[in-house]
């Protein structure tokens, strides 16, 4: 059966920034003359001092170097704020919609500039200087954006930690970048539930003397203990601070932020992003892929704790002067029409979300969507995981009324901004495919032995050259950076994903090839979950794999071996779930825990996750090559147990 193809809507062909011919020409040019191409793209920003050098990058087996616009100087908050406030300060920058329907706030460019300036001065008063790290543990409120831009204003480096992470996960992320200042809130609100952020902070800081100051946003106004000399209310600190805060010029290669993401081994990696290249890539790609025009209202549903929000809710849109909708809550509370109601209220033109949410909303049928006028929508995006064709079609037909191109954007925390995506005025769409490379990006599929797969075919998704938004290193661990991304296929950046290229040169991401699982679009290292389980005194050993999950894309399947003499019980299962939630957070909650008297291992003792992945997927017979299993009866016993009626 041939795949459905959705052609470029006629109206977009003439109005879009990039049409089919322009894409061909510009893409070619971006590869033939990357310096000239990116020099032009970089004019999307205001530079305090123009750059003379554009690209200084090398992916050779003996040297990896990544520098963009290196001698240019700029300020990210100036680009995202002052230059828009100057001309249209009274317009809305942020349309904030709280968790509770009816709780909303409009923040103008002037308001945001004032808040950012005061906070920048308040941070300076706490001793924050250029190059210092500041951790941010906030819900999706305008103060989170103010915190990021205030850091950028004074050249400090922000580290936003997802507010759904536990105290322990927060502590690890503070310790790694050694921030002396933390910005948080009394509580968060999510689907009507209170999230004890300040309480988590107090627990996290018990063993972390490095944090000297905590600024606390009053979100719910609940009573929280304040530690004298350390904790201050955010609003009181701002009230005392001056609104006069000239943006500090920084070098293009000075860091803008660090953001932690899971890897296949060890602790989360602090991906370090710098200012100039990141902001050029974020701003230029936002404009092209969503075909942004001045006046458009943009709604990205990502939480501020993820890279999607950094690049396509905050930096990319604000650098373009876009009005953004910032939503604190969840799509299904109080009911499944919450997003549709927001789109109608704010006349949203560009909507960007994740497949997992679409799948969960599909369960409620078309009713909640149909009750709202979504005719303002023009472009819709998808990110975080492959979107299955059923979800794509539903999103396209039911939400977009068949009018709006779906921009399936493939990228990573490490890549800073998009690498593969269709451009709405330039490409026909194939549901489930992230289409073609963005400008300046050179995808390569490599076979396991490192040979290049030409034309149609599948392989390890790699990139042959750098792009401006690329992370420069893992904070404090250059070795790990080189090893993770540049050692598997020397001379290439390796994404960790597999992909297929079809007869039209469209890319189809097939998923992670390493021990990373993608749960509802959130990356988790299997090792992180295993370590959490193994920290329980009853557990001898644990192996964690992904399993197919209808809504989340992947769920978490844990095989647990208990210590001798410990009885298997449902209570123990519940304890183990709790341990994982405490050490990582609710997103890492295992969907299934199965007791395994032993785990399948090879002769050198390595756990054979490949076999467990098959079993978790319900495939009890085809275990591939089992000749490496030291003791085949171990596999048979696990299969028997997994199939027992529950
Ligand atoms: C932006 C973001 C990155 C991993 C990536 C891949 C998966 C992201 C995708 C996609 C298929 C897409 N991924 N976008 N897979 N199609 N459009 O999600 O960053 O959280 O670092 O995750 O997510 O597996 O390697 P991050």
């Amino acid at each position: 059966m041939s795949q459905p193809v959705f052609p470029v809507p006629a109206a977009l062909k003439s109005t879009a920034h990039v049409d089919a011919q322009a894409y061909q020409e510009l893409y070619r040019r971006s590869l033939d003359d990357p310096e000239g191409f990116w020099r032009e793209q970089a004019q999307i920003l205001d530079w305090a001092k123009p750059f003379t050098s554009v690209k200084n990058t090398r992916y050779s087996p003996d040297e990896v170097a990544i520098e963009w616009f290196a001698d240019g100087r700029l300020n990210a908050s100036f680009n995202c704020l002052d230059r828009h406030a100057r001309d249209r300060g009274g317009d809305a920058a942020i349309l904030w919609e709280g968790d509770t329907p009816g709780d909303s706030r409009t923040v103008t460019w002037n308001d945001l500039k004032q808040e950012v300036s005061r906070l920048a001065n308040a941070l300076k008063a706490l001793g924050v200087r250029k190059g210092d790290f500041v951790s941010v543990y906030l819900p999706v409120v305008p103060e989170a954006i103010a915190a990021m831009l205030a850091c950028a204003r004074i050249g400090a480096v922000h580290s936003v930690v997802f507010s759904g992470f536990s105290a322990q996960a927060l502590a690890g992320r503070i310790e790694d970048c050694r921030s002396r200042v933390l910005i948080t809130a009394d509580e968060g609100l999510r689907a009507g539930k209170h999230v004890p952020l300040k309480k988590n902070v107090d627990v996290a800081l018990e063993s972390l003397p490095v944090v000297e100051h905590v600024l606390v946003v009053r979100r719910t106004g609940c009573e929280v203990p304040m530690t004298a000399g350390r904790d201050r209310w955010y609003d009181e600190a701002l009230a005392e601070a001056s609104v006069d805060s000239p943006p500090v010029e920084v070098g293009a290669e000075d860091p803008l932020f660090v953001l932690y993401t899971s890897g296949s081994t060890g602790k989360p990696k602090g991906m370090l992003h710098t200012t100039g290249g990141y902001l050029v890539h974020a701003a230029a790609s936002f404009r092209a892929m969503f075909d942004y025009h001045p006046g458009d209202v943009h709604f990205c549903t990502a939480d501020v704790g993820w890279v999607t929000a950094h690049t396509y809710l905050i930096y990319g849109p604000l650098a373009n002067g876009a009005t953004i909708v910032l939503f604190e809550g969840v799509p299904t509370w109080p009911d499944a029409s919450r997003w549709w109601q927001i789109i109608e209220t704010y006349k949203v033109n560009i909507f960007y979300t994740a497949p997992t949410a679409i799948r969960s909303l599909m369960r409620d049928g078309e009713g909640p969507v149909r009750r709202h006028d979504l005719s303002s929508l023009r472009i819709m995006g998808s990110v975080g995981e492959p979107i299955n064709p059923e979800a794509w079609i539903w999103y396209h037909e039911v939400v977009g009324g068949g009018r709006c191109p779906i921009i399936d954007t493939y990228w990573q925390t490490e890549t800073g901004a998009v690498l593969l995506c269709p451009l709405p005025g330039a490409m026909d769409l194939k549901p489930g495919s992230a289409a073609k490379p963005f400008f300046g990006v050179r995808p390569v599929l490599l076979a396991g032995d490192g040979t290049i797969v030409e034309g149609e075919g599948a392989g390890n998704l790699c990139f042959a050259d750098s792009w401006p938004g690329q992370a420069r290193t893992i904070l404090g661990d250059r070795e790990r950076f080189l090893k993770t991304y540049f050692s598997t296929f020397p001379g290439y950046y390796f994404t960790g994903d597999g992909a297929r290229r079809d007869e039209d040169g469209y890319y189809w991401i097939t998923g992670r090839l390493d021990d990373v699982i993608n749960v509802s679009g959130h990356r988790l290292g299997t090792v992180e979950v295993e370590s959490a389980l193994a920290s329980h005194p009853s557990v001898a050993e644990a192996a964690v794999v992904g399993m197919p999950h209808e809504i989340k894309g992947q769920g978490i399947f844990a095989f647990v071996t208990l210590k001798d003499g410990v009885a298997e019980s449902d209570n123990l299962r519940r304890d183990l779930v709790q341990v994982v939630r405490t050490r990582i957070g609710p997103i890492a909650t295992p969907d299934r825990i199965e007791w395994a008297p032993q785990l399948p291992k090879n002769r050198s003792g390595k756990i054979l996750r490949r076999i467990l992945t098959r079993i978790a997927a319900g495939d009890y017979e085809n275990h591939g090559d089992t000749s490496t299993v030291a003791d085949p009866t171990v596999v048979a016993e696990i299969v028997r147990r997994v199939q027992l009626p529950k």
Side-chain angles (χ1 to χ4, degrees):
M1 215 182 79
S2 71
Q3 306 149 343
V5 173
F6 293 79
V8 175
L12 267 174
K13 278 192 181 154
S14 52
T15 59
H17 293 306
V18 182
D19 65 12
Q21 196 188 342
Y23 171 75
Q24 296 295 349
E25 289 169 9
L26 276 171
Y27 181 64
R28 186 84 331 266
R29 162 132 197 269
S30 71
L31 300 193
D32 294 346
D33 176 20
E35 303 250 341
F37 176 82
W38 286 110
R39 180 177 296 113
E40 259 167 50
Q41 294 295 311
Q43 305 316 315
I44 198 165
L45 303 183
D46 280 7
W47 295 80
K49 176 178 167 282
F51 50 87
T52 59
S53 118
V54 176
K55 180 175 188 286
N56 178 15
T57 69
R58 239 176 337 279
Y59 281 7
S60 68
D62 43 79
E63 195 199 359
V64 172
I66 309 166
E67 274 185 1
W68 288 86
F69 315 110
D71 61 347
R73 297 182 74 77
L74 76 168
N75 181 281
S77 98
F78 178 86
N79 275 283
C80 291
L81 212 50
D82 304 52
R83 59 182 187 150
H84 315 302
R86 199 167 49 198
D87 305 330
R88 46 196 191 92
D91 290 358
I94 303 176
L95 301 165
W96 180 74
E97 179 77 19
D99 184 59
T100 319
D103 186 8
S104 63
R105 228 161 101 189
T106 296
V107 182
T108 66
W109 293 102
N110 279 339
D111 297 339
L112 188 61
K113 186 179 162 195
Q114 282 200 15
E115 174 133 349
V116 167
S117 300
R118 284 187 197 276
L119 179 54
N121 284 325
L123 290 173
K124 280 208 306 215
L126 296 178
V128 178
R129 298 285 173 266
K130 181 163 180 277
D132 289 349
F133 288 81
V134 173
S135 292
V136 177
Y137 184 60
L138 282 173
V140 183
V141 288
E143 289 82 353
I145 297 183
M148 293 161 76
L149 294 179
C151 290
R153 200 163 188 86
I154 59 175
V157 188
H158 57 74
S159 167
V160 181
V161 179
F162 173 51
S163 63
F165 277 133
S166 67
Q168 281 190 40
L170 170 67
R173 285 159 176 79
I174 294 175
E175 201 169 22
D176 188 75
C177 67
R178 297 190 197 86
S179 26
R180 288 185 301 112
V181 174
L182 171 68
I183 306 175
T184 189
D186 47 8
E187 288 183 318
L189 266 186
R190 230 179 116 74
K193 291 200 199 73
H194 293 241
V195 185
L197 297 182
K198 177 62 167 59
K199 200 168 139 203
N200 289 349
V201 165
D202 289 337
V203 173
L205 298 193
E206 269 166 21
S207 54
L208 269 183
V210 57
V211 177
E212 293 162 17
H213 303 285
V214 180
L215 290 179
V216 186
V217 173
R218 290 185 224 255
R219 171 62 192 97
T220 62
C222 76
E223 285 262 334
V224 290
M226 298 289 274
T227 302
R230 188 193 71 184
D231 302 348
R232 279 210 76 181
W233 291 107
Y234 173 97
D235 51 316
E236 291 174 8
L238 259 64
E240 286 169 15
S242 147
V243 284
D244 182 27
S245 166
V248 171
E249 252 179 48
V250 307
E253 283 297 333
D254 284 338
L256 177 62
F257 67 87
V258 66
L259 187 61
Y260 289 86
T261 189
S262 295
S264 45
T265 54
K267 58 177 191 171
K269 306 174 280 197
M271 302 313 307
L272 191 73
H273 284 281
T274 56
T275 308
Y278 171 80
L279 206 58
V280 167
H281 191 183
S285 59
F286 171 75
R287 181 172 181 276
M289 76 194 198
F290 295 133
D291 193 39
Y292 169 76
H293 284 78
D296 280 345
V297 175
H298 172 64
F299 178 15
C300 164
T301 65
D303 190 284
V304 292
W306 309 115
V307 77
T308 298
H310 281 60
T311 306
Y312 295 120
L313 166 62
I314 301 168
Y315 284 113
L318 296 186
N320 278 279
T323 298
I324 61 171
V325 173
L326 185 70
F327 175 43
E328 185 183 36
V330 304
T332 45
W333 189 85
D335 62 52
S337 69
R338 190 74 172 103
W339 279 352
W340 320 129
Q341 170 227 319
I342 293 173
I343 292 173
E344 178 173 18
T345 306
Y346 297 107
K347 302 205 169 28
V348 169
N349 308 108
I350 306 168
F351 179 60
Y352 191 34
T353 193
T356 182
I358 302 290
R359 287 191 295 265
S360 92
L361 290 165
M362 279 168 78
R363 281 192 308 193
D364 293 284
E366 300 182 7
V369 192
R370 300 267 182 235
R371 279 200 290 281
H372 295 276
D373 174 5
L374 306 186
S375 59
S376 58
L377 287 176
R378 211 180 69 241
I379 307 279
M380 307 195 303
S382 172
V383 63
E385 55 175 316
I387 179 165
N388 49 309
E390 299 71 33
W392 196 104
I393 301 278
W394 192 85
Y395 191 26
H396 186 258
E397 302 306 314
V398 179
V399 181
R403 296 183 320 279
C404 311
I406 293 184
I407 308 304
D408 181 354
T409 61
Y410 169 83
W411 56 295
Q412 308 177 304
T413 307
E414 293 86 339
T415 72
V418 78
L419 293 187
L420 304 174
C421 70
L423 295 184
M427 284 167 221
D428 295 349
L429 305 172
K430 300 186 187 189
S433 166
K436 303 249 182 164
F438 188 69
F439 301 121
V441 165
R442 291 177 185 267
V444 178
L445 300 179
L446 295 178
D449 63 2
T451 51
I452 295 181
V453 178
E454 308 275 2
E456 268 180 75
N460 295 279
L461 178 61
C462 296
F463 289 87
D465 198 357
S466 177
W467 56 91
Q470 177 165 32
R472 302 304 193 249
T473 191
I474 293 173
L475 184 66
D477 204 343
R478 172 101 184 141
E479 279 310 304
R480 188 176 178 198
F481 180 69
L482 296 177
K483 182 163 181 289
T484 308
Y485 306 106
F486 297 96
S487 73
T488 319
F489 300 104
Y492 296 92
Y493 170 86
F494 176 42
T495 58
D497 286 301
R500 182 168 69 76
R501 186 169 44 225
D502 71 14
E503 65 280 12
D504 298 317
Y506 276 52
Y507 288 85
W508 301 74
I509 307 297
T510 50
R512 300 287 310 190
L513 299 169
D514 52 10
D515 291 325
V516 170
I517 43 186
N518 192 327
V519 181
S520 301
H522 301 318
R523 272 165 72 170
L524 286 168
T526 50
V527 177
E528 283 173 81
V529 185
E530 286 166 4
S531 317
L533 291 166
S535 72
H536 191 281
S538 301
V539 172
E541 199 172 31
V544 166
V545 296
M547 64 177 199
H549 189 287
E550 210 183 318
I551 304 292
K552 302 180 188 178
Q554 278 191 304
I556 300 177
F557 197 132
F559 296 87
V560 175
T561 306
L562 296 173
K563 285 189 181 152
D564 274 351
V566 176
E568 299 166 0
S569 74
D570 285 340
N571 273 339
L572 184 50
R573 263 204 190 89
R574 278 190 286 274
D575 285 356
L576 292 183
V577 166
Q578 200 44 52
V579 165
V580 175
R581 293 171 70 98
T582 308
R583 289 183 67 106
I584 307 175
I587 53 169
T589 306
D591 295 277
R592 186 160 170 195
I593 295 177
E594 199 60 59
W595 309 119
Q598 292 183 65
L599 295 171
K601 293 183 183 170
N602 66 13
R603 290 182 185 82
S604 55
K606 189 172 154 45
I607 297 174
L608 295 164
R609 287 202 181 68
R610 175 174 53 82
I611 293 176
L612 294 174
T613 303
R614 291 249 168 89
I615 296 174
D619 180 352
Y620 304 131
E621 271 143 38
N622 306 306
H623 300 133
D625 177 9
T626 49
S627 60
T628 50
V629 192
D631 178 359
T633 63
V634 169
V635 179
E637 175 60 14
I638 291 179
V639 168
R640 189 185 69 81
R641 285 173 167 249
V642 168
Q643 288 178 288
L644 287 178
K646 290 279 162 338

